[in-house]
């Protein structure tokens, strides 16, 4: 219980520092929040392949966070790190799946992904292809989590699917903030949904054990 409270406090301290400072607080608590989730999930690392995959994705996310926080623009490197994180999450969710595929779900998610990409396209320039690939991968990740939930209706699957959806929301707001118009609350929305997504997926490891 206290470990989850620490995660909440760390995430809120990062979000607060994004608007009010100090800068050291901003740089410290973003990666620390993910490190705390890694420590929580690591209690189950010997229990299942699913736990090992989720922890690997969290570590890749940590690398992505660091790239995105650097003073110099490391957006492509951060995007690449999260791309691999989503691929690992996808493998983890499909690893838990054993049943019949529901085809309306990927159709719905793909349609949403295409709409987001077309809205962003005029502003993407040379990043059009990398962003398209990233959107395709995160859509696949959410599909895998959704199939896992629709097949089992278990608590771990619901947590994983909820996390995947929040991840899509976080990345969508981040993309519009970066390539379109940034609004004052955008960073809070991005980070709150991001931390919640990672926390829910981590919690799915605990409940799956």
């Amino acid at each position: 219980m206290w470990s989850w409270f620490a995660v909440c406090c760390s995430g809120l301290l990062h979000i607060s520092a994004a608007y009010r400072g100090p800068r050291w607080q901003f740089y410290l608590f973003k990666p620390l929040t993910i490190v705390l989730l890694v420590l929580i999930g690591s209690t189950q690392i010997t229990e299942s392949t699913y736990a090992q995959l989720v922890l690997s994705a969290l570590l890749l996310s940590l690398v992505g966070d660091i790239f995105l926080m650097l003073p110099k623009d490391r957006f492509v490197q951060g995007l690449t790190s999260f791309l691999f994180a989503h691929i690992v999450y996808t493998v983890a969710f499909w690893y838990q799946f054993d049943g019949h595929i529901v085809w309306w779900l990927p159709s719905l998610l793909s349609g949403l992904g295409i709409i987001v990409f077309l809205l962003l396209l005029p502003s993407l320039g040379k990043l059009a292809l990398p962003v398209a690939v990233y959107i395709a991968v995160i859509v696949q990740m959410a599909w895998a989590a959704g199939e896992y939930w629709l097949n089992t209706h278990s608590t771990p699957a619901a947590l994983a699917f909820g996390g995947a959806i929040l991840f899509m929301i976080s990345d969508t707001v981040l993309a519009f903030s970066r390539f379109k118009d940034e609004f004052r609350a955008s960073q809070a929305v991005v980070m709150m949904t991001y931390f919640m997504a990672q926390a829910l997926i981590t919690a799915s490891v605990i409940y799956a054990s």
Side-chain angles (χ1 to χ4, degrees):
M1 183 66 181
W2 286 107
S3 56
W4 290 107
F5 179 72
V7 169
C8 292
C9 289
S10 180
L12 289 173
L13 284 169
H14 168 75
I15 294 170
S16 173
Y19 292 93
R20 300 179 181 179
R23 297 306 293 172
W24 67 264
Q25 181 176 315
F26 174 83
Y27 286 116
L28 173 62
F29 286 100
K30 184 178 183 181
L32 180 60
T33 305
I34 303 302
V35 168
L36 291 172
L37 290 174
V38 169
L39 292 175
I40 291 172
S42 64
T43 60
Q44 309 297 325
I45 195 168
T46 60
E47 299 296 323
S48 69
T49 302
Y50 178 67
Q52 294 165 9
L53 288 168
V54 168
L55 288 176
S56 298
L58 281 171
L59 290 172
L60 286 166
S61 299
L62 178 60
V63 174
D65 283 335
I66 293 171
F67 275 127
L68 293 177
M69 284 195 311
L70 292 175
K72 292 185 178 180
D73 193 343
R74 294 290 186 271
F75 180 75
V76 173
Q77 293 88 337
L79 189 75
T80 303
S81 299
F82 277 106
L83 178 73
F84 284 114
H86 290 317
I87 290 172
V88 176
Y89 274 139
T90 300
V91 173
F93 299 147
W94 282 123
Y95 186 84
Q96 297 294 94
F97 174 78
D98 182 20
H100 300 290
I101 290 177
V102 177
W103 291 106
W104 61 262
L105 181 60
S107 300
L108 175 61
L109 293 171
S110 297
L112 292 173
I114 290 170
I115 291 171
V116 169
F117 177 70
L118 291 176
L119 290 173
L120 292 172
L121 185 57
S123 306
L124 293 178
K126 294 181 180 179
L127 290 176
L129 181 58
V131 170
V133 172
Y134 186 88
I135 290 174
V137 169
I138 197 170
V139 163
Q140 163 73 12
M141 186 269 289
W143 174 32
E147 294 287 0
Y148 173 29
W149 178 69
L150 288 169
N151 183 247
T152 65
H153 290 284
S154 65
T155 298
L159 291 168
F161 189 36
I165 294 300
L166 284 172
F167 230 133
M168 287 188 68
I169 294 171
S170 178
D171 283 351
T172 299
V173 176
L174 174 63
F176 277 96
S177 174
R178 181 178 178 86
F179 296 110
K180 292 291 188 179
D181 294 322
E182 184 174 8
F183 56 97
R184 178 166 174 76
S186 62
Q187 195 158 11
V189 173
V190 168
M191 294 315 304
M192 192 172 297
T193 51
Y194 169 68
F195 287 142
M196 288 175 63
Q198 298 282 34
L200 287 175
I201 296 173
T202 303
S204 76
V205 170
I206 308 300
Y207 279 93
S209 61

